[in-house]
Amino acid sequence: QLQASGGGLVQTGGSLRLSCAASGRSFSRYFVAWFRQSPGKEREFVASISRYGDTAYSGDSVKGRFFISRDNVWNTVYLQMNSLKPEDTAVYYCAAKDTSATTDSSYPYWGQGTLVTVSS
C-alpha cells in the first residue's frame, strides 16, 4: 500500500517535497515512480527510481528541477521539487512495480495522489 503526501500551495519559484510511504517489508523489491495529472490532460511520467536508488530517471519537463530519492529503511520515496512553475500544478501520484518503466499503465500499485498547486 502506498500513501502520497506533502502537496500544497506554493508560489512560482518555490519548492516542495512529496513523500510516498509504503507499507510492507518488501519495499526494496520495487521500482517507484511519480506521475502527475492536470485537469484535462493525460497522466504524465515525472520521475522513477530503482530498487536501491542507484538509478533514477526524470521526465523532460522536470529535468534539473525535480529529484527523486528513496529511503528503504523508512520505506519512503521522496520527490524534491524546486523552481516550481504554474504548469507543475497537478495531482501527483506515486506508483510501484517490480521492473523499471515510464508507462503508467504498467504500474499495478498506486497511492491516492496529493495535490500540488503553484500560483503565479
Side-chain angles (χ1 to χ4, degrees):
Q1 200 168 21
L2 302 174
Q3 182 150 0
S5 63
L9 175 63
V10 63
Q11 291 185 334
T12 297
S15 297
L16 277 177
R17 188 177 77 160
L18 305 183
S19 298
C20 176
S23 58
R25 293 177 292 179
S26 58
F27 180 65
S28 60
R29 291 174 50 191
Y30 296 98
F31 289 77
V32 178
W34 287 95
F35 293 85
R36 67 184 183 184
Q37 190 167 23
S38 305
K41 294 187 178 180
E42 292 186 353
R43 193 173 293 173
E44 176 189 15
F45 170 78
V46 175
S48 66
I49 191 164
S50 58
R51 296 183 181 96
Y52 295 100
D54 52 307
T55 304
Y57 298 100
S58 57
D60 289 341
S61 61
V62 304
K63 200 160 291 186
R65 299 188 298 123
F66 290 13
F67 302 94
I68 189 170
S69 62
R70 70 188 295 161
D71 184 336
N72 287 344
V73 173
W74 293 101
N75 284 2
T76 303
V77 169
Y78 304 99
L79 184 68
Q80 179 66 43
M81 306 187 296
N82 301 324
S83 303
L84 283 160
K85 306 174 182 179
E87 51 263 43
D88 295 319
T89 296
V91 177
Y92 284 71
Y93 299 90
C94 58
K97 69 187 304 285
D98 56 356
T99 58
S100 179
T102 60
T103 305
D104 58 345
S105 59
S106 67
Y107 281 78
Y109 307 111
W110 289 84
Q112 83 288 2
T114 185
L115 176 62
V116 173
T117 303
V118 184
S119 63
S120 56

